[in-house]
Amino acid sequence: MEPMKHWMLALAASSALVLTGCGGSSSSSSSDTDDDAEATTISGTAEAPAGSVAQLRQPSSLEIAMNFLIPPAAAAITGLDPVEGADVELIRVDNNGDQTGEVLATATTSITGDYTLNIPAGVSLAGNLVVRIQGANAEMRSQVVEQDVDINPLSEYVLQRFIENGTELDTLNTDSVLTLRGKAEEFDIAATADLSSMLDRLDQEIGEFVDGQVNRITSGTADVTEIAGDWRSNAIEFGIGDDVDMDSGFFDAEVFGDNFTFSDQGNGVVTITENPRASAEAQISGQDGNAFLNYWEDLPDTGDNESFNAEYLDTGELYLEFPFEEEISGDGEFGFRYPPGVLRFQKAPNTAAFFMVASDPVVRYLTDDSGAVDPDQRDGNEILYSLETFVRQPESATASDMTGTFGRVYLGTYFQNNVYEVENEHNEITFNGDTTIDIGSEQYMGLSRSFATTTFSSNASTVETGVPFTVQPDGSIDTIGGEASNVFVNEDFNIVLGGEFDGENGNYAAISNTLMVRLPTEGAPDLAGRSYRVKFLAVEMYDTYGLTLARSRYDSTLSFDGSATPSLDLNIERAEKPEGLADVIEKSTENLATSDLSVDVASNGATSITINDGEGAGVTLAEGYLNHDGSIGIFRTSYDEDGSGSADPSELGLMVLVELP
């Protein structure tokens, strides 16, 4: 894999795309246009996974009799097949997807799955006008927003996501629906055996993409002047890659941060100009016990800027979209294909800060004689998960602005040949209002894998007082204890970020990320009635060589009712190598919706969250801090499947809570 920050490169190429197609308001519909009013017929093709075709078409009397005697066998995974002889019904549905009124028209699919259906007079195209095919335990629907209406698992899935997101279907902009479906069709997703598993596969592969599109379609825009100005970011990223021949694979960590300028273009559109800063990447590749280390540092040229457009939504979301992209490696040997996607940053209330967890899947191919991607020579897969924070920079920071106690969490990695480690910490740091800080005891946990041995360790450091630091007017804390640092503070002087890196190619590498928030001084924040977006990133080492990356999906939330009783709706994506570095990647998603958790908050904001996994004795322990007003929480996390919490975990990570408006 070549070291790169893919999504920024893709965004720069797609700045115009984010402004087209999907609108950004649910207040209009194209159902009143002349084209829709004149539509008298619709037509399309019905296709389904092979195992669902028999369920969706209408069986003959002979088939009914034979199936009573001999149950039909499930078909193998052979892709989408035409649905022959199925009744296609035209109906209106409510916002729950339930039929309203009578069936408006019917048709029957041909041997090739094609159909043509007459639209009754006075019926206009709209997001709540649907064609459907029903069968035993199976249903596929498609919104009728143009005259060419195919019915397939994707059309059903898109409708389901509109419904799940509480969309007013009858007011949907029909062009927005078409644009969404068109973009979703760019994903290369193999069909499964039946409709149920196909819908699960779609949710795994494109769920976040579709949900992001749906939210953008149905949300209004916010005032960009709220976020205009100069910003700085910091991110940590983990990645794993495989080889189709299972000869080798890799585990990768990268830290990067950039400067950005946000400019108001009106109507919620923000132009983002990126000025790259230093980044570093460490990668251990090969096979467990026979792996080598590569380490890169990237210092971009001054003035190497890129600009692209995004949207600022009234949900507090900064929405960025990028298209399908293809890239050839510098040596011309490999080609990389990136599916289209969206980046969704959640803004924290009351302060200029955004947080995001992102997934960047990559398919790697060999190139042909002309140097182009050869789609018949897939070489492997790569998955990258990252946690990134943006804060607006101060204009004239001084050491006297830095006062009070901050809670700190840290996530880092360390690499040598045949050795990789993950570690996290939490502690408190006090800025004394002069040029010194007091560093509280760092509570450390680490997982280290060397050959076939995985070791957990923990310890606590000693307290340090009067440690000198220097801060620049732009908020850069450029030295701590006389050593150079890559730490910076936001304009409100209540968030501190940092990304550190050091290494020598083939010898060692250290990559880490730090978050700090100002702590309360007047007692613990009241959590009653508050809801938070959950941002989570972790690495697990288990059994002899098992290695897993985990991250939260965007729709993960932690909520508190009126009596501050918590409930968690956590959607997790995992990329796993059960047998170690050389194994192929197995991707999965899971949902943990539970009230079986406890949240304990001390008067100074120090917080612990204990989450039971709902399936066994497994316990996730999050240890960290809520900030001064309770709008942001930062935590180091540990997971132990035996239920002892942080006593002997197999997974270490970082979690951020961002309050929702």
Side-chain angles (χ1 to χ4, degrees):
M1 189 193 77
E2 290 204 333
M4 66 182 71
K5 296 194 293 293
H6 154 253
W7 68 265
M8 276 301 178
L9 298 176
L11 283 168
S14 64
S15 59
L17 182 65
V18 78
L19 303 178
T20 63
C22 284
S25 172
S26 61
S27 63
S28 63
S29 169
S30 64
S31 60
D32 297 327
T33 65
D34 291 340
D35 289 343
D36 294 337
E38 294 175 0
T40 58
T41 63
I42 59 172
S43 61
T45 302
E47 294 180 306
S52 297
V53 170
Q55 292 179 296
L56 291 165
R57 65 185 176 87
Q58 307 306 310
S60 66
S61 58
L62 177 60
E63 286 177 312
I64 294 174
M66 291 300 295
N67 289 343
F68 177 77
L69 300 173
I70 307 172
I77 302 176
T78 58
L80 294 180
D81 289 352
V83 182
E84 171 196 356
D87 289 340
V88 180
E89 297 177 321
L90 180 69
I91 60 171
R92 295 277 188 193
V93 296
D94 61 20
N95 293 333
N96 295 318
D98 298 325
Q99 179 179 343
T100 61
E102 301 296 324
V103 174
L104 302 174
T106 61
T108 302
T109 60
S110 69
I111 192 172
T112 57
D114 298 316
Y115 76 95
T116 297
L117 185 147
N118 293 319
I119 300 178
V123 175
S124 58
L125 311 188
N128 68 341
L129 184 66
V130 168
V131 285
R132 73 178 177 193
I133 297 174
Q134 289 182 304
N137 302 314
E139 179 183 52
M140 286 195 314
R141 297 165 294 180
S142 185
Q143 291 166 281
V144 184
V145 291
E146 65 174 344
Q147 290 184 261
D148 297 321
V149 188
D150 291 335
I151 310 169
N152 52 45
L154 180 60
S155 67
E156 169 66 23
Y157 180 74
V158 169
L159 175 58
Q160 287 187 14
R161 298 319 300 159
F162 276 120
I163 294 168
E164 289 294 322
N165 282 276
T167 308
E168 296 285 339
L169 296 177
D170 61 337
T171 62
L172 270 176
N173 182 295
T174 55
D175 288 340
S176 299
V177 180
L178 290 173
T179 301
L180 191 163
R181 289 204 303 225
K183 292 175 180 176
E185 288 169 356
E186 295 180 7
F187 289 81
D188 184 13
I189 302 173
T192 59
D194 54 52
L195 183 59
S196 177
S197 62
M198 187 72 234
L199 293 174
D200 288 341
R201 171 70 64 81
L202 286 167
D203 186 63
Q204 177 178 304
E205 297 295 334
I206 67 171
E208 278 192 305
F209 175 82
V210 173
D211 281 347
Q213 293 267 334
V214 168
N215 182 66
R216 178 175 174 243
I217 291 170
T218 57
S219 296
T221 57
D223 183 2
V224 176
T225 61
E226 298 175 357
I227 61 171
D230 294 327
W231 292 66
R232 187 169 170 182
S233 75
N234 189 67
I236 188 168
E237 180 178 79
F238 297 122
I240 55 176
D242 63 23
D243 188 310
V244 293
D245 297 325
M246 297 184 64
D247 291 331
S248 66
F250 70 78
F251 172 45
D252 179 275
E254 182 178 4
V255 63
F256 55 90
D258 302 304
N259 286 346
F260 296 89
T261 299
F262 291 1
S263 302
D264 181 17
Q265 301 301 316
N267 298 319
V269 177
V270 51
T271 293
I272 301 178
T273 301
E274 176 200 16
N275 182 15
R277 298 177 64 91
S279 65
E281 182 177 7
Q283 183 182 105
I284 186 166
S285 58
Q287 301 175 350
D288 289 276
N290 185 26
F292 58 95
L293 172 67
N294 286 316
Y295 175 74
W296 306 271
E297 291 184 6
D298 183 23
L299 300 173
D301 296 331
T302 301
D304 187 17
N305 296 342
E306 299 282 357
S307 293
F308 45 89
N309 287 333
E311 284 185 284
Y312 183 38
L313 305 181
D314 58 10
T315 55
E317 177 184 331
L318 186 65
Y319 175 97
L320 300 88
E321 183 179 324
F322 54 90
F324 170 86
E325 186 186 16
E326 189 173 280
E327 186 175 13
I328 305 299
S329 64
D331 59 11
E333 183 178 358
F334 299 104
F336 302 90
R337 284 184 171 177
Y338 307 88
V342 296
L343 299 172
R344 306 174 68 185
F345 292 84
Q346 184 66 53
K347 184 182 179 299
N350 310 319
T351 192
F354 287 95
F355 298 86
M356 176 187 72
V357 169
S359 172
D360 198 2
V362 186
V363 183
R364 187 178 64 254
Y365 298 87
L366 298 178
T367 53
D368 58 23
D369 293 340
S370 69
V373 167
D374 186 344
D376 295 326
Q377 294 195 74
R378 188 173 67 86
D379 189 61
N381 299 298
E382 302 174 12
I383 292 182
L384 312 174
Y385 294 159
S386 61
L387 172 63
E388 183 159 9
T389 305
F390 278 57
V391 296
R392 190 157 51 192
Q393 296 177 265
E395 295 181 355
S396 56
T398 65
S400 62
D401 294 314
M402 303 292 295
T403 59
T405 300
F406 285 67
R408 168 186 173 267
V409 295
Y410 161 97
L411 179 63
T413 57
Y414 182 78
F415 296 85
Q416 289 180 316
N417 292 323
N418 295 310
V419 175
Y420 47 95
E421 301 178 1
V422 177
E423 56 193 24
N424 62 18
E425 299 172 351
H426 75 94
N427 67 313
E428 296 176 16
I429 293 180
T430 299
F431 288 83
N432 296 316
D434 50 22
T435 58
T436 66
I437 57 175
D438 299 336
I439 302 176
S441 177
E442 298 169 345
Q443 307 299 306
Y444 166 90
M445 292 191 295
L447 285 169
S448 177
R449 174 164 290 164
S450 176
F451 295 92
T453 301
T454 301
T455 304
F456 170 71
S457 60
S458 63
N459 59 51
S461 69
T462 58
V463 173
E464 298 181 71
T465 60
V467 178
F469 77 96
T470 58
V471 61
Q472 300 302 315
D474 67 354
S476 298
I477 301 174
D478 51 358
T479 66
I480 299 176
E483 301 289 333
S485 70
N486 183 36
V487 181
F488 54 98
V489 65
N490 71 330
E491 66 175 6
D492 298 316
F493 304 103
N494 55 22
I495 299 174
V496 177
L497 305 176
E500 301 291 343
F501 54 87
D502 184 31
E504 181 180 314
N505 192 41
N507 190 7
Y508 75 95
I511 301 285
S512 67
N513 185 65
T514 291
L515 299 175
M516 290 192 276
V517 294
R518 186 189 300 277
L519 298 181
T521 58
E522 300 179 358
D526 183 6
L527 299 179
R530 305 175 95 162
S531 294
Y532 296 84
R533 190 80 67 195
V534 179
K535 310 292 184 180
F536 169 73
L537 178 67
V539 178
E540 182 180 17
M541 301 179 194
Y542 63 96
D543 296 337
T544 303
Y545 290 121
L547 177 65
T548 300
L549 306 183
R551 61 104 185 179
S552 59
R553 295 175 69 161
Y554 185 82
D555 54 358
S556 297
T557 56
L558 174 64
S559 301
F560 297 85
D561 65 14
S563 59
T565 300
S567 61
L568 180 69
D569 188 0
L570 186 61
N571 291 292
I572 295 293
E573 179 181 302
R574 300 186 188 277
E576 182 175 7
K577 286 172 165 277
E579 301 299 329
L581 286 178
D583 200 3
V584 295
I585 298 171
E586 298 179 7
K587 189 177 176 183
S588 63
T589 56
E590 65 174 301
N591 172 258
L592 176 61
T594 182
S595 297
D596 190 7
L597 73 158
S598 62
V599 180
D600 298 308
V601 186
S603 59
N604 71 337
T607 302
S608 65
I609 303 175
T610 303
I611 306 167
N612 298 305
D613 68 10
E615 297 180 353
V619 171
T620 295
L621 179 62
E623 302 167 289
Y625 309 90
L626 288 173
N627 73 335
H628 64 286
D629 63 1
S631 61
I632 301 172
I634 58 172
F635 304 86
R636 65 100 173 256
T637 66
S638 58
Y639 172 76
D640 175 55
E641 63 182 358
D642 296 327
S644 54
S646 61
D648 187 20
S650 60
E651 177 187 275
L652 299 179
L654 202 63
M655 183 174 76
V656 177
L657 301 180
V658 187
E659 187 178 8
L660 293 170

